[in-house]
Amino acid sequence: MLVLLPPSEGKAASGRGAPLKPESLSLPGLAAAREDVLRELVELCAGDEEKAREVLGLSEGLRGEVAKNTELHTAGTRPAGEIYTGVLYDALGLASLDAAAKRRAARSLLVFSGLWGAVRVTDRIPSYRCSMGVRLPGLGALGAHWRAPMAQVLPEAAGDGLVLDLRSAAYAAAWKPKGDVAARTASVRVLHAPTRKVVSHFNKATKGRIVRGLLTAGIAPKDPADLVVALRDLGYTVEEQAPARAGSPWTLDVLVDEVH
């Protein structure tokens, strides 16, 4: 099973570990594309601060994020699973998983990123600010920048099991599974049961709980149909929407009344 996660806007501070070693990151086929984004992002933020803030879509109160990006080559690092914070990652609770579940997380979780493309939760990275929706002056839209290298690398990373796609729309644009991989892919929507509407907090928290439940139970569904069974066994109310044509991803609706 491969689980595709969005990053978080807010991030923990860089750690005290050794500075970034790009060659140590997972998915080495993305290395050249990562270097291109990293180089331009650092140069942009080290130059005109106002332009950098505009390009990155940062408010006045987030001006300090520009300076953070100038230090990406020298800042300390920590595992990506510690860098990313927020509702989904709080619900996932990587730090409190048992040893076996942590090993499963290291193998199966992939976090998408405007800067790194995608990283494992064990990859050591510095804190940064660069969403997938950014359009850098030289490289252009990052979603488009990542499509070709992702198309080369991600099918192999997906293996022959389920691809559980929990990304938001901006990050999903960077890689769309095709062919056999698409047939094994399921995206999940979390809907407030009484209204059948997506509610941001419910959506993020429930996705985090779903992943935690699968990791803790040691469940690795092979395909979307197996995932439906697994989620129901974990106590979720699930409505599946099989694809209209063969070779397309499934959509699963998980219905919740409230999230505690």
Side-chain angles (χ1 to χ4, degrees):
M1 177 177 68
L2 183 68
V3 182
L4 311 180
L5 296 174
S8 57
E9 281 296 309
K11 298 174 182 66
S14 294
R16 296 182 178 180
L20 175 69
K21 296 179 180 178
E23 69 279 4
S24 73
L25 298 179
S26 301
L27 307 178
L30 300 179
R34 285 174 179 147
E35 180 57 34
D36 289 341
V37 180
L38 181 61
R39 183 190 312 109
E40 183 169 353
L41 181 62
V42 171
E43 290 177 355
L44 171 70
C45 292
D48 186 332
E49 184 180 82
E50 288 304 316
K51 180 180 179 180
R53 193 160 66 86
E54 179 183 354
V55 169
L56 297 176
L58 300 176
S59 66
E60 177 65 32
L62 293 174
R63 182 180 293 273
E65 299 292 288
V66 175
K68 177 193 295 186
N69 283 347
T70 67
E71 301 172 350
L72 290 174
H73 289 292
T74 57
T77 58
R78 59 200 305 177
E82 297 177 14
I83 289 287
Y84 296 114
T85 61
V87 175
L88 187 154
Y89 290 91
D90 287 346
L92 173 53
L94 286 169
S96 62
L97 292 173
D98 62 37
K102 284 180 178 177
R103 289 193 294 271
R104 296 181 194 114
R107 292 193 303 267
S108 63
L109 304 188
L110 204 60
V111 184
F112 274 60
S113 163
L115 173 53
W116 314 113
V119 291
R120 304 278 185 188
V121 292
T122 51
D123 285 335
R124 299 190 67 92
I125 58 173
S127 188
Y128 68 97
R129 192 66 173 238
C130 184
S131 71
M132 191 66 79
V134 164
R135 180 182 293 271
L136 291 175
L139 293 177
L142 290 180
H145 171 75
W146 285 112
R147 281 181 200 137
M150 289 283 193
Q152 293 293 319
V153 171
L154 267 293
E156 180 178 354
D160 59 1
L162 172 77
V163 177
L164 176 53
D165 191 352
L166 302 180
R167 298 172 296 168
S168 54
Y171 292 89
W175 180 58
K176 297 183 183 298
K178 296 181 179 179
D180 176 62
V181 179
R184 293 184 277 109
T185 298
S187 62
V188 170
R189 299 189 306 174
V190 179
L191 305 181
H192 187 215
T195 64
R196 285 300 202 276
K197 292 182 179 179
V198 175
V199 181
S200 180
H201 181 85
F202 289 4
N203 180 51
K204 294 175 182 177
T206 303
K207 286 178 177 179
R209 291 169 188 260
I210 284 171
V211 177
R212 183 181 179 88
L214 293 171
L215 294 173
T216 300
I219 301 172
K222 284 291 186 182
D223 56 39
D226 280 352
L227 177 62
V228 172
V229 174
L231 293 180
R232 288 174 177 163
D233 286 346
L234 290 172
Y236 291 99
T237 300
V238 182
E239 295 178 350
E240 70 267 38
Q241 299 179 31
R245 64 181 185 276
S248 297
W250 289 47
T251 299
L252 307 184
D253 290 339
V254 174
L255 307 180
V256 297
D257 292 316
E258 57 184 4
V259 175
H260 299 287

